[in-house]
Amino acid sequence: MATIDAPKQVSFQQDAEVLRKACQGWGTDDKAIISVLGHRNAAQRKQIRLAYEQLYQEDLIKRLESELSGDFERAVYRWILEPADRDAVLANVAIKKLSPDNHVIAEISCTRSPEELLAVRRAYQARYKHSLEEDVAAHTKGDIRTLLVALVTAFRYDGEEINTRLANSEAKILHDAVKDKKFNHEEVIRILTTRSKMQLMVTFNRYRDDHDTSVTKHLQGDSGDEFLPVLRTSVRCLNDPKKYFEKVLRNSIRRTGTDEDALTRVIVTRAEKDLKDIKEVYHKRNSVPLDQAVAKDTSGDYKALLLTLLGKQD
Amino acid sequence: MTEITFPVDINIFIVFRNFSHKTQILPPPPVKTPLMALPSGIEALDKAFSGIGVDEKSLIDIIAKSNDEHRTSLRKGCPKLFVEDDNGFERSDQSCIENLKHQFNRFRDAVVLSLLHPWERDARLIEEAIRKGPKSYSVIVEIACTRSSNQLLGARKAYHSLFDHSIEEDLAAHIKDGERKLLVALVSAYRYEGPNVKEAAAKSEAEILYNALNNADETKPLDHEDVVMILATRSKLHLQALYQHYNKTYDKTLTQDLEEGILKDTVECLCTPEAYFHRVLDAALEQDADEESKGALSRVIVTQNELLRKEGYVPNKIQDTLLGFYKDFMLGLIASGDIQENNS
């Protein structure tokens, strides 16, 4: 379930005016920005951008970019974008890092629905004049490249049809690969990057039934290179995304110094999806509500925005 | 040839010669000559069955009016198709009859193919190609590489609806040999279609391809990761620029440097699609073309008719080699498209 609390009736013109006023004069009225944008869903945010453009002949995003700074600016920027465009930006940022953030690419590919992933690919092309897959291919090598390109280009069957016999045989294939420590085996990659999510669920369940452990626990080890961890991330995202996101959040807060990139990314991308469920998982696992942990570890307007997205009532 | 079941059952026993284009010199007719002159009857039948498709009008003229005696003589005069059975009748050779039915079906299948939505059409063609195996891999390449990004996407969606699987999962599950990597990558592509091309990258990738293809000691090109990645992810404009660089730098085209196979088909489809389609059509119309090649006729003409029309493709060989309704339909697809406007 989503956490953000957007009113049904909204005047986009009024919102645009409030935002305009917030950006005028000395400094910015960040609270006003948060109180408007933090309570609008994707469709509404889009309309506000359009209204702002019509009224003031400038791009709201550009205006905000110039007025805001730091973690707050990055969070607002990601929040205000449309989901597909946002994911495209996140993917590009991940790819262009000196050492590509492969986990983010795997995360985006595996936790979005097939249609959403397609939309991301389209948005990516529109923004960067390259296909997502060609940029991933150009910045990675070897097994990681094979895995990531296959993940970003997948258009999985999205239906309910599953084949139990197939799930059994493919669970066995996965187990054999684990046994022989051949994690980069073609068959492993084939199964994980082409099968539908429903089919994979049945396969993973079968694996657990047969071997008393989830396949993710078996994908650990000291293989030296990066491939195994990224493979593991993919499986975790496909198997239980909420649990995966809880862990990302937990790690981002726990570290000495918060990992704002990860924190922002998860909260902004899941606020309209399943952040509420993730909060529950977090609370169960950590005995402390996520809001509290975030409040303790962040400050200022950045904190205020995150808490608003987490569902805090003004 | 797409195998779509269609509730028409043509079940006539027909006399015909084998499908060679050579005409046979016949022995002089027996004394008891039926009403129609036998030699020209058999000749005409031979002709009606000697191309691709069948000459329906001729068949009606010849067979509809023939009587029992005539037909018996026709059967006796055609040892290839009818053999004298011990029990006193001319028995048919079933495989030849099946072949014959197949010829009749060309028109039927082409019509159905052209009626389908392009997405469904491509999805079914791919599914059939996967089922048929290695000889049909080039069809998968053709569809993946000559459709626009959105058309290919549409085919992938249609595939979900029709077969409850994704194309890539069926491909990956059915193909175990070396071609798998390339084929899965090709159908998964959503290529950028804008004008931006980085010449420097195109140049360096031309070099990468050259090295991959001309190092005898290294991995086979199909297994070479960079080869697959470049061909499966780069935009078509980028690849065409790469193709030019290759030509200029190494004094031979990239296609020339590739052996027959899906890698060569891939490069052709992406960089020189018109040449590819012409080659496929010519091969289909060759005298000794096999069924695989002939099947390309309907597929290419139905799916590329606008391209062929725009290019002014001259269908002389089609005129000479095809027969009957099938010929009319194929020619109609390629001829100028004024008919639509006139009818409305």
Side-chain angles (χ1 to χ4, degrees):
Chain A
M1 278 246 332
T3 46
I4 76 141
D5 177 26
K8 294 246 165 49
Q9 293 281 61
V10 151
S11 159
F12 305 124
Q13 259 202 310
Q14 208 167 43
D15 284 343
E17 284 167 18
V18 171
L19 290 170
R20 173 71 159 187
K21 197 149 156 254
C23 294
Q24 279 172 331
W26 289 111
T28 344
D29 185 355
D30 296 337
K31 297 226 168 354
I33 294 177
I34 296 173
S35 80
V36 170
L37 292 177
H39 293 285
R40 301 290 181 268
N41 61 35
Q44 292 166 334
R45 297 195 303 273
K46 182 174 179 180
Q47 292 301 318
I48 296 172
R49 273 178 77 183
L50 289 172
Y52 190 95
E53 172 102 44
Q54 258 188 332
L55 284 171
Y56 308 112
Q57 278 80 51
E58 75 174 353
D59 185 354
L60 172 59
I61 294 188
K62 291 228 160 32
R63 165 60 59 181
L64 290 172
E65 270 188 284
S66 66
E67 296 279 333
L68 310 174
S69 62
D71 294 322
F72 180 54
E73 186 268 318
R74 268 189 290 280
V76 170
Y77 180 73
R78 285 164 182 37
W79 175 243
I80 200 173
L81 291 177
E82 281 181 86
D85 203 14
R86 174 198 303 151
D87 282 348
V89 168
L90 289 171
N92 186 259
V93 165
I95 294 171
K96 292 291 168 69
K97 285 206 178 130
L98 216 53
S99 162
D101 206 340
N102 299 317
H103 295 269
V104 173
I105 303 170
E107 173 186 308
I108 294 176
S109 317
C110 296
T111 57
R112 306 327 184 225
S113 77
E115 282 292 341
E116 287 169 347
L117 186 54
L118 273 181
V120 175
R121 290 168 83 179
R122 273 195 213 104
Y124 195 96
Q125 278 195 19
R127 240 182 209 270
Y128 302 110
K129 312 300 180 213
H130 278 159
S131 65
L132 173 56
E133 58 262 34
E134 85 184 279
D135 276 358
V136 171
H139 287 80
T140 51
K141 283 205 147 316
D143 293 327
I144 292 200
R145 177 164 80 176
T146 311
L147 175 64
L148 289 180
V149 171
L151 286 175
V152 305
T153 56
F155 182 50
R156 301 175 200 261
Y157 166 66
D158 206 11
E160 311 270 314
E161 294 291 322
I162 50 130
N163 181 330
T164 349
R165 195 179 45 80
L166 195 62
N168 295 344
S169 70
E170 292 188 341
K172 183 167 187 309
I173 294 175
L174 290 176
H175 184 66
D176 288 342
V178 160
K179 217 173 13 145
D180 303 332
K181 297 219 184 295
K182 283 245 178 72
F183 303 109
N184 61 348
H185 196 275
E186 269 190 34
E187 286 289 273
V188 173
I189 296 183
R190 168 184 72 78
I191 294 168
L192 293 177
T193 61
T194 65
R195 290 302 183 198
S196 76
K197 291 190 180 175
M198 283 263 94
Q199 181 70 29
L200 284 173
M201 286 294 197
V202 182
T203 311
F204 293 150
N205 285 341
R206 179 60 192 226
Y207 189 104
R208 199 181 41 241
D209 289 342
D210 284 345
H211 306 286
D212 277 334
T213 352
S214 74
V215 59
T216 11
K217 290 235 162 38
H218 279 173
L219 290 175
Q220 271 164 324
D222 188 29
S223 69
D225 71 71
E226 284 198 59
F227 177 75
L228 192 55
V230 180
L231 185 70
R232 187 149 186 263
T233 294
S234 314
V235 173
R236 292 173 61 218
C237 286
L238 291 163
N239 194 15
D240 192 343
K242 293 173 193 155
K243 195 164 159 208
Y244 164 80
F245 282 122
E246 182 276 326
K247 187 157 190 207
V248 174
L249 286 170
R250 184 174 7 118
N251 285 341
S252 76
I253 301 176
R254 168 201 286 175
R255 297 220 200 110
T256 37
T258 324
D259 181 355
E260 285 88 4
D261 264 355
L263 186 60
T264 303
R265 183 180 79 243
V266 174
I267 292 183
V268 161
T269 58
R270 307 316 287 181
E272 290 174 276
K273 295 233 144 215
D274 52 8
L275 192 52
K276 202 165 193 183
D277 303 327
I278 298 172
K279 277 169 68 173
E280 280 168 24
V281 178
Y282 187 94
H283 199 161
K284 240 183 239 159
R285 176 91 173 48
N286 300 287
S287 310
V288 76
L290 178 59
D291 296 42
Q292 205 176 308
V294 167
K296 201 164 141 218
D297 244 55
T298 55
S299 61
D301 299 309
Y302 178 55
K303 167 167 120 181
L305 176 61
L306 291 184
L307 292 179
T308 306
L309 295 182
L310 281 167
K312 170 165 166 281
Q313 302 299 319
D314 280 337
Chain B
M1 189 72 92
T2 314
E3 315 230 337
I4 304 169
T5 32
F6 202 65
V8 173
D9 192 24
I10 304 171
N11 193 14
I12 355 169
F13 275 91
I14 294 154
V15 178
F16 83 113
R17 291 257 166 188
N18 60 36
F19 291 118
S20 77
H21 295 232
K22 308 177 228 166
T23 28
Q24 275 197 318
I25 314 284
L26 301 163
V31 176
K32 269 201 202 147
T33 323
L35 293 164
M36 267 196 263
L38 242 179
S40 64
I42 292 185
E43 251 175 67
L45 276 165
D46 179 29
K47 222 166 149 219
F49 290 126
S50 295
I52 303 175
V54 294
D55 186 347
E56 291 90 351
K57 290 210 178 68
S58 279
L59 293 173
I60 296 174
D61 290 339
I62 297 166
I63 299 173
K65 299 291 195 277
S66 67
N67 57 23
D68 280 349
E69 243 188 276
H70 184 204
R71 293 201 202 160
T72 305
S73 310
L74 289 176
R75 282 191 293 271
K76 284 192 194 290
C78 193
K80 266 244 153 88
L81 184 62
F82 290 94
V83 187
E84 202 64 43
D85 186 274
D86 291 338
N87 279 322
F89 70 102
E90 306 85 36
R91 198 175 112 176
S92 70
D93 178 334
Q94 268 307 294
S95 71
C96 287
I97 296 286
E98 285 310 312
N99 232 325
L100 186 59
K101 290 187 187 178
H102 186 54
Q103 291 290 34
F104 274 96
N105 293 342
R106 285 196 202 276
F107 173 57
R108 170 197 83 176
D109 293 340
V111 170
V112 174
L113 195 66
S114 70
L115 281 176
L116 296 177
H117 189 291
W119 295 356
E120 179 173 351
R121 178 196 307 158
D122 284 347
R124 289 193 185 275
L125 285 171
I126 291 179
E127 193 266 347
E128 187 193 20
I130 297 176
R131 255 188 301 121
K132 281 189 168 168
K135 274 200 291 193
S136 298
Y137 290 170
S138 58
V139 175
I140 302 173
V141 171
E142 178 182 306
I143 295 175
C145 298
T146 62
R147 308 311 191 237
S148 76
S149 292
N150 281 327
Q151 283 171 335
L152 180 57
L153 208 52
R156 293 172 82 179
K157 292 189 188 181
Y159 199 96
H160 283 199
S161 303
L162 296 169
F163 305 111
D164 289 331
H165 281 165
S166 63
I167 296 183
E168 57 265 36
E169 100 183 86
D170 278 355
L171 261 182
H174 280 83
I175 301 178
K176 301 296 183 192
D177 36 18
E179 279 92 348
R180 176 162 96 180
K181 256 194 218 133
L182 179 63
L183 289 173
V184 172
L186 289 177
V187 305
S188 306
Y190 184 59
R191 297 175 201 261
Y192 167 67
E193 288 182 321
N196 290 28
V197 171
K198 287 209 186 94
E199 289 294 329
K203 206 164 168 201
S204 74
E205 288 175 358
E207 198 180 321
I208 294 176
L209 285 182
Y210 179 81
N211 289 335
L213 299 176
N214 289 283
N215 282 340
D217 47 307
E218 286 221 19
T219 19
K220 290 168 55 173
L222 265 180
D223 291 330
H224 202 289
E225 272 184 15
D226 288 335
V227 171
V228 173
M229 280 300 155
I230 292 171
L231 292 177
T233 63
R234 288 302 189 194
S235 76
K236 292 182 184 173
L237 274 185
H238 179 106
L239 290 169
Q240 283 156 14
L242 187 160
Y243 192 85
Q244 298 302 329
H245 276 296
Y246 199 100
N247 202 353
K248 230 183 1 187
T249 320
Y250 304 111
D251 238 354
K252 52 184 165 165
T253 67
L254 179 52
T255 345
Q256 284 169 331
D257 232 356
L258 288 162
E259 291 176 1
E260 298 297 322
I262 61 166
L263 207 45
K264 186 172 185 153
D265 293 334
T266 302
V267 171
E268 274 191 307
C269 284
L270 290 167
C271 302
T272 58
E274 288 96 8
Y276 166 81
F277 285 122
H278 281 263
R279 170 169 77 72
V280 170
L281 285 176
D282 286 345
L285 295 164
E286 284 289 307
Q287 271 217 3
D288 50 355
D290 62 11
E291 196 43 52
E292 237 14 88
S293 313
K294 285 198 201 147
L297 267 179
S298 295
R299 184 184 75 242
V300 171
I301 293 180
V302 168
T303 61
Q304 303 301 318
N305 72 321
E306 296 213 5
L307 176 72
L308 294 171
R309 224 190 283 145
K310 212 170 30 151
E311 282 185 354
Y313 176 75
V314 181
N316 283 340
K317 263 193 126 180
I318 295 183
Q319 182 76 28
D320 297 335
T321 330
L322 270 56
L323 292 173
F325 293 151
Y326 185 58
K327 171 172 87 177
D328 294 339
F329 191 54
M330 292 293 107
L331 288 178
L333 283 168
I334 317 177
S336 80
D338 295 336
I339 306 167
Q340 268 299 89
E341 286 89 323
N342 289 339
N343 280 347
S344 59

